[in-house]
Amino acid sequence: MELLCIQSQEHPELPLAELKAVMECENIDACIDHVTEGLTILKNIDEDNLCGYYQILTRRLGYTHEVHELILKTNVHDINEDVITIDWQNLIDETFAVRVKRIRSEIDTVGYERKLGTLILDNSDDLKVNLTKPNTLVRVVAYKDDLYVGIERIKLNKKHFEDSKPHKRPFFYPGSMNPKLARCMVNLSRIKEGELLLDPFCGTGGILIEAGLIGCKVVGSDIYWKMQNGTSINLDYYGITDYRTFHLDVRELKMYEKVASVVTDPPYGISTSTGDVDGEEIFKEFFHAIYDNMKDDAYLCMASPHYVDLKPMVDEVGFKIVEQYGIKMHRSLTRIISVIRKNLD
């Protein structure tokens, strides 16, 4: 069996990297067919695992917009013959709507929605079209002349990432990370539900919110009392209860329990993170302080500016850079997202 993943095209690499990280930490056994930017198929899934995998992906992913059970791959030339081979009666719950999404395709979206809807009606009994509130969504992705037809079993909550933007939270401070990137970074850290995640520069708590919403225990610290207090307000607002926050300099951090992952966005360029340390020294101090607070197999996912070379710092402490991705912020700054592992060698 197969799952159809419609992914964000906001970044050329992060959506696929996030998907792979979640599959790794959740032990999802499937083959990845990355068709093109924005479209990935998970193949060779055991039928007994399909529902569980589907639930995990829709609960966790940030840069994947939709996940569907893939039931048919066809093309614009063979669609008439292929659609009639499907038992729509067993796939659709009384009413349905067809929605077509184009990725580098020139097909007529509305025309193919009508075409496929008519073919389904002509080859089934007692099914009806409902364009406003269908019981079943038939999702078609058109890539060039190929058509990928899926059934939506679980709706991915895309609205959350709009509703939880930093300025919509009870406590807001300029410069906070957007929730979609925060969720992606949490996932890149390979954290599992029930494990402990730390953000030692928690700011307004955006990373901790995303980790808490996927079932992690979270702990945050910040040198500024205002930020620590604001993080608690925001976590309470989103119904996250398994958390602790501290008003603390990262260099004084001594965790009561070693953490399974660290996800953070340290401030850069100014002495705001540790009060009296500027520039690259912030990162050096941070790596030394955090190492002994992490489990031996823990991952660290962090943001940093492109002009800071992290490699000699992590090598000195005993970390290893696993992945790095650049996000262009403006003409003079690229944000680097680094996935770093505690080195066991």
Side-chain angles (χ1 to χ4, degrees):
M1 304 192 77
E2 299 179 345
L3 287 173
L4 169 70
C5 301
I6 302 175
Q7 299 182 295
S8 168
Q9 297 179 58
E10 298 167 60
H11 191 277
E13 298 172 290
L14 280 174
L16 184 59
E18 180 191 28
L19 175 61
K20 288 179 177 179
V22 170
M23 291 177 65
E24 178 185 327
C25 71
E26 295 285 359
N27 298 313
I28 292 178
D29 184 15
C31 297
I32 298 175
D33 178 11
H34 184 55
V35 179
T36 188
E37 187 177 332
L39 179 60
T40 299
I41 311 295
L42 302 186
K43 296 184 172 182
N44 302 333
I45 300 173
D46 187 279
E47 184 175 359
D48 293 338
N49 294 327
L50 185 74
C51 183
Y53 291 173
Y54 201 151
Q55 290 174 340
I56 290 167
L57 296 175
T58 52
R59 178 174 58 87
R60 291 197 58 150
L61 293 172
Y63 280 120
T64 294
H65 293 162
E66 300 176 34
V67 181
H68 305 290
E69 180 183 344
L70 183 63
I71 58 171
L72 175 66
K73 180 188 174 184
T74 182
N75 56 65
V76 295
H77 309 293
D78 300 329
I79 184 171
N80 288 29
E81 294 79 9
D82 291 342
V83 165
I84 64 175
T85 66
I86 303 298
D87 185 359
W88 297 102
Q89 207 74 41
N90 287 331
L91 294 172
I92 294 173
D93 179 16
E94 296 183 349
T95 64
F96 72 97
V98 179
R99 293 287 181 263
V100 175
K101 177 179 178 61
R102 296 186 302 182
I103 300 179
R104 288 185 284 285
S105 173
E106 299 299 324
I107 73 164
D108 176 3
T109 299
V110 175
Y112 268 83
E113 289 174 351
R114 291 174 177 166
K115 180 183 181 72
L116 185 55
T118 300
L119 287 168
I120 292 172
L121 289 174
D122 289 346
N123 290 277
S124 56
D125 298 320
D126 302 322
L127 297 182
K128 295 180 180 180
V129 171
N130 186 327
L131 298 180
T132 55
K133 291 185 178 180
N135 292 339
T136 302
L137 174 66
V138 180
R139 169 57 96 180
V140 181
V141 179
Y143 171 58
K144 297 182 179 178
D145 286 341
D146 290 329
L147 302 172
Y148 297 83
V149 183
I151 295 288
E152 182 180 68
R153 301 297 189 188
I154 305 172
K155 193 171 185 64
L156 198 150
N157 184 15
K158 293 183 290 184
K159 192 170 182 289
H160 157 71
F161 296 109
E162 180 63 34
D163 292 344
S164 61
K165 286 184 175 179
H167 67 279
K168 296 183 179 180
R169 300 170 190 158
F171 177 75
F172 169 68
Y173 195 81
S176 300
M177 180 177 289
N178 78 70
K180 196 179 290 187
L181 178 57
R183 175 67 67 87
C184 177
M185 289 178 64
V186 167
N187 284 327
L188 288 173
S189 79
R190 276 75 170 170
I191 191 76
K192 297 180 182 178
E193 182 177 0
E195 292 183 332
L196 183 62
L197 178 143
L198 166 69
D199 181 356
F201 302 97
C202 63
T204 62
I207 287 170
L208 300 181
I209 290 168
E210 297 308 315
L213 289 174
I214 64 170
C216 301
K217 298 183 293 182
V218 297
V219 58
S221 67
D222 203 283
I223 196 169
Y224 293 110
W225 175 86
K226 179 181 179 180
M227 294 301 185
Q228 182 230 341
N229 187 58
T231 287
S232 297
I233 291 170
N234 284 339
L235 289 170
D236 289 338
Y237 178 78
Y238 287 98
I240 295 161
T241 58
D242 200 346
Y243 75 84
R244 296 178 72 177
T245 60
F246 299 96
H247 172 211
L248 195 66
D249 187 316
V250 67
R251 293 171 296 183
E252 300 170 0
L253 189 64
K254 301 293 181 185
M255 289 296 298
Y256 55 90
E257 173 188 347
K258 289 195 174 186
V259 301
S261 77
V262 176
V263 182
T264 195
D265 182 18
Y268 8 99
I270 53 176
S271 55
T272 53
S273 63
T274 55
D276 60 356
V277 179
D278 289 325
E280 296 188 12
E281 288 299 318
I282 291 174
F283 297 94
K284 292 180 182 178
E285 296 270 12
F286 162 65
F287 288 127
H288 280 281
I290 208 67
Y291 187 86
D292 288 335
N293 289 292
M294 297 171 63
K295 290 183 176 181
D296 287 342
D297 58 349
Y299 281 87
L300 158 65
C301 184
M302 63 178 289
S304 63
H306 68 276
Y307 51 79
V308 175
D309 184 4
L310 298 181
K311 190 176 187 310
M313 304 182 203
V314 301
D315 289 348
E316 177 184 324
V317 177
F319 287 113
K320 180 180 180 181
I321 296 175
V322 178
E323 309 166 46
Q324 286 187 309
Y325 307 96
I327 303 175
K328 190 77 171 177
M329 305 302 293
H330 47 74
R331 187 168 58 182
S332 60
L333 176 65
T334 296
R335 175 187 264 168
I336 304 299
I337 305 300
S338 299
V339 180
I340 299 167
R341 189 170 190 178
K342 193 169 180 180
N343 200 343
L344 303 181
D345 296 337

